[in-house]
Amino acid sequence: MATYNTSDFRKGIKVQIDGTPYLMVECNFVKPGKGNALYKCRMRNLLLGTMLDRTYKGGDSLESADVEDINAQFLYRQGDTFFFMDQESYEQYELSKEKVDEAWKYLKEGMVCSMTLFNNNPIAVEPPFHVVLKVEYAEPTVRGNTATGLSKLVKLETGAEISVPSFIEQNQTIKVDTRTGEYVERVKE
Amino acid sequence: MFSDFHPTASWKVLRLRSDLLHRTRDFFRTRGFLEIETPLLSHDVVVDRHLDPLRVTLPDDPRHPEVGRTMWLQTSPEFAMKRLMAAGGEAIFQITRAFRAAEQGRLHNPEFTIVEWYRQSDSYADGMTLLSDLAESLLGLPRARRVTYKEAFQTHAGIDPHRGTVAEVLAALESLQVEVPAGLADDRDGILDLLLSQIVGPRLGVDQPTILCEYPPTQAALSQVRASEPPVAERFELYVRGIELANGYHELLDPQVLRARNRANNQLRAADGKPTLPDESRLLAAMEHGLPPCTGCALGFDRVVMLAAGVSTIAEAMAFPIDRA
């Protein structure tokens, strides 16, 4: 297993601590002139999303994590299990609803997502930044309420609910920003 | 090909840097100091547990560049400057480069500019006064306040760094929520350093520059140890806004003591899995001949520029830091 020494520590490396993969999001080198070199690191747990702060001294090392991002197409959902296919190897992966997390709101059959594999097992999936989805159900627009600033909740074809301007109607398609979960614009078909 | 050819410092900061270089020279010249130059590449090098010099091989035959004499890029010009003092130097200074392996961060670059000076007959107190004068003249700040290592640790960490036990230092770290890296808990100086770099240091020099003095004898480096009770090392460091700017010594004169410290440092280096460094040096020969009583100090010039310019990284105080060098 490859290792990273403290001199290789930097933002963006993926390491493994007690079998869990982490992404180093911050690394600060601190050293008194004549004293021990310290590396104050902040790492994101790639399984849970939680942050871990650890201080290492010069000469320490961490195992690298075998983490890889692939393009995977969302095939279908069966109960609480989501099925994907690697665009290159055509290998199929399944991911639980828990690991899919918020991404379920945007997953549409055929959509190509970024999937993270750790030791060849999928641990997370991210939809494209922008997705186009159909409004499956919307309360009819009340006449006279098409003015600016008003919004309403609609149900998308994925089953997710999202807040949109009041002029959006059922069966229209809209663009959504998956990073913020917000409505972007109406898309003409 | 290289999109990062641009300097990381602005022209405004580079002009300020030039101005500070001139002011540093003026400061020493008006006080009768002689500007000298010493080799960057030397057979000798400071032996310190936590200073890692860059080794250079001087090939005898350019077709076999890996075979030849071992030389060292200097971690500071200390050895050569003290040899000049032993050879009759009275008051000398230089502005030069120093190299330290594996030191890179917001306040570190493996190659940096150091201002170093020595003056014969200067007492410990004289050395601190001169450093305070220099800081005042370069940064336009009020005079430095002197705080002993003990006072600083009592105020900011609630422990006596000289008499406190390892367990007490660890308890202080825990109550201050400082994580102790694995393998450091049984290293008394290591955990004191941790308190200094995480808690005490960042609180020094906030309102007014602070000179930290009277270090534990185990951290004497190349300073004299005063036989007080408890004994203290006559070493001092300048802190401005929590940043360590300079380190000085009322210089150790006894070559036998330096030999013993070199050996101890090399044993610790070996235990840390680091290469040992030459025990013997021409500095020891100069000390056998006789080094006159003197006080010396070294200042991190890039950090001075950084503070004067009001920028937050030394990369913004130099044209090309290591990643763009």
Side-chain angles (χ1 to χ4, degrees):
Chain A
M1 178 69 70
T3 58
Y4 288 111
N5 291 315
T6 42
S7 52
D8 307 316
F9 283 11
R10 65 203 61 204
K11 209 156 94 175
I13 64 168
K14 285 161 182 163
V15 298
Q16 205 177 145
I17 302 168
D18 303 328
T20 303
Y22 288 86
L23 173 72
M24 199 172 278
V25 291
E26 215 179 301
C27 178
N28 291 309
F29 175 78
V30 192
K31 183 181 187 295
K34 305 276 171 185
N36 240 308
L38 298 173
Y39 295 78
K40 297 189 73 181
C41 303
R42 166 160 285 201
M43 291 166 289
R44 193 171 78 224
N45 183 321
L46 290 175
L47 299 181
L48 304 173
T50 51
M51 287 294 178
L52 174 71
D53 289 316
R54 281 271 174 99
T55 306
Y56 297 93
K57 58 182 187 354
D60 285 350
S61 60
L62 285 173
E63 266 181 44
S64 71
D66 182 10
V67 173
E68 174 190 18
D69 287 327
I70 59 163
N71 288 325
Q73 188 177 41
F74 174 55
L75 299 176
Y76 58 94
R77 172 181 180 170
Q78 200 170 61
D80 282 346
T81 309
F82 292 72
F83 293 84
F84 296 84
M85 184 177 68
D86 184 340
Q87 290 280 86
E88 262 182 46
S89 67
Y90 303 114
E91 191 157 338
Q92 277 199 30
Y93 292 104
E94 50 188 84
L95 209 54
S96 65
K97 185 169 186 275
E98 213 177 19
K99 283 180 178 159
V100 168
D101 200 28
E102 293 283 288
W104 71 269
K105 293 181 177 172
Y106 314 108
L107 289 179
K108 190 174 150 180
E109 286 177 16
M111 187 180 280
V112 178
C113 304
S114 170
M115 179 178 264
T116 307
L117 302 181
F118 172 53
N119 291 334
N120 250 351
N121 295 312
I123 54 172
V125 69
E126 259 185 59
F129 292 160
H130 292 112
V131 296
V132 172
L133 295 167
K134 192 167 162 189
V135 176
E136 196 177 83
Y137 177 76
E139 295 280 352
T141 308
V142 183
R143 274 197 197 283
N145 264 4
T146 51
T148 52
L150 289 173
S151 62
K152 62 180 178 186
L153 275 182
V154 297
K155 194 173 171 192
L156 301 174
E157 57 182 310
T158 58
E161 285 196 330
I162 179 175
S163 175
V164 300
S166 55
F167 60 78
I168 297 294
E169 290 178 33
Q170 195 160 308
N171 291 327
Q172 288 182 331
T173 50
I174 60 168
K175 187 188 271 186
V176 179
D177 188 324
T178 62
R179 292 163 294 184
T180 58
E182 282 168 8
Y183 163 89
V184 180
E185 61 186 5
R186 196 169 85 187
V187 180
K188 293 237 163 77
E189 282 189 269
Chain B
M1 184 167 70
F2 293 107
S3 58
D4 57 357
F5 77 91
H6 288 286
T8 47
S10 68
W11 281 108
K12 189 177 164 220
V13 174
L14 291 178
R15 276 192 290 272
L16 175 65
R17 187 179 173 107
S18 165
D19 185 43
L20 286 165
L21 277 173
H22 284 284
R23 274 152 64 189
T24 304
R25 287 203 161 87
D26 289 344
F27 175 88
F28 285 108
R29 288 168 64 94
T30 56
R31 283 164 181 76
F33 278 75
L34 180 73
E35 180 164 11
I36 52 94
E37 292 180 288
T38 57
L40 289 181
L41 212 48
S42 168
H43 293 93
D44 303 330
V45 73
V46 175
V47 184
D48 189 290
R49 181 182 183 183
H50 298 300
L51 287 185
D52 298 304
L54 294 166
R55 195 167 77 177
V56 174
T57 302
L58 236 59
D60 304 318
D61 177 346
R63 288 168 298 183
H64 300 284
E66 66 292 342
V67 183
R69 268 193 295 176
T70 294
M71 309 276 292
W72 305 92
L73 282 171
Q74 297 297 281
T75 51
S76 80
E78 179 154 16
F79 277 23
M81 289 186 80
K82 285 191 195 167
R83 282 164 59 192
L84 283 172
M85 291 304 285
E90 287 169 0
I92 56 174
F93 83 100
Q94 77 171 316
I95 304 174
T96 186
R97 291 301 174 86
F99 298 84
R100 295 180 185 179
E103 296 196 5
Q104 193 183 348
R106 184 171 79 86
L107 298 173
H108 294 82
N109 195 57
E111 177 180 351
F112 62 102
T113 299
I114 201 166
V115 181
E116 188 151 329
W117 61 92
Y118 293 85
R119 188 161 65 183
Q120 236 188 67
S121 314
D122 265 8
S123 67
Y124 186 39
D126 293 337
M128 291 191 267
T129 303
L130 184 62
L131 172 60
S132 173
D133 289 346
L134 177 64
E136 207 180 327
S137 126
L138 293 182
L139 291 166
L141 292 169
R143 294 206 58 73
R145 192 156 64 103
R146 284 176 209 174
V147 175
T148 66
Y149 194 91
K150 181 178 166 180
E151 288 163 351
F153 274 68
Q154 279 176 333
T155 306
H156 300 294
I159 57 152
D160 179 341
H162 300 293
R163 293 197 165 91
T165 61
V166 166
E168 281 166 1
V169 182
L170 288 172
L173 283 161
E174 197 184 336
S175 72
L176 293 161
Q177 297 180 313
V178 178
E179 186 201 340
V180 179
L184 204 63
D186 50 359
D187 172 0
R188 195 169 192 286
D189 286 313
I191 52 179
L192 286 176
D193 268 350
L194 192 60
L195 266 180
L196 182 63
S197 68
Q198 304 300 299
I199 300 291
V200 180
R203 289 165 177 73
L204 296 179
V206 176
D207 308 320
Q208 167 190 10
T210 297
I211 292 179
L212 192 63
C213 55
E214 300 187 358
Y215 278 66
T218 44
Q219 297 178 27
L222 291 158
S223 67
Q224 278 191 28
V225 172
R226 189 199 310 154
S228 47
E229 186 46 52
V232 291
E234 294 195 322
R235 176 181 160 193
F236 54 97
E237 285 190 332
L238 171 67
Y239 282 82
V240 175
R241 286 181 224 136
I243 293 168
E244 177 197 331
L245 285 186
N247 178 63
Y249 307 131
H250 187 213
E251 299 295 341
L252 172 69
L253 305 177
D254 186 339
Q256 294 314 324
V257 174
L258 180 56
R259 275 203 178 88
R261 288 187 194 168
N262 284 350
R263 275 196 300 272
N265 269 303
N266 267 330
Q267 277 167 9
L268 290 168
R269 289 183 63 84
D272 289 342
K274 290 180 179 184
T276 57
L277 300 168
D279 275 323
E280 286 297 319
S281 64
R282 286 185 171 90
L283 172 64
L284 281 166
M287 288 168 79
E288 304 277 6
H289 167 80
L291 179 64
C294 60
T295 295
C297 189
L299 174 79
F301 185 73
D302 310 282
R303 291 185 186 176
V304 171
V305 178
M306 179 187 103
L307 287 176
V311 293
S312 58
T313 65
I314 62 164
E316 293 164 89
M318 56 176 69
F320 301 117
I322 192 80
D323 288 336
R324 295 189 180 194

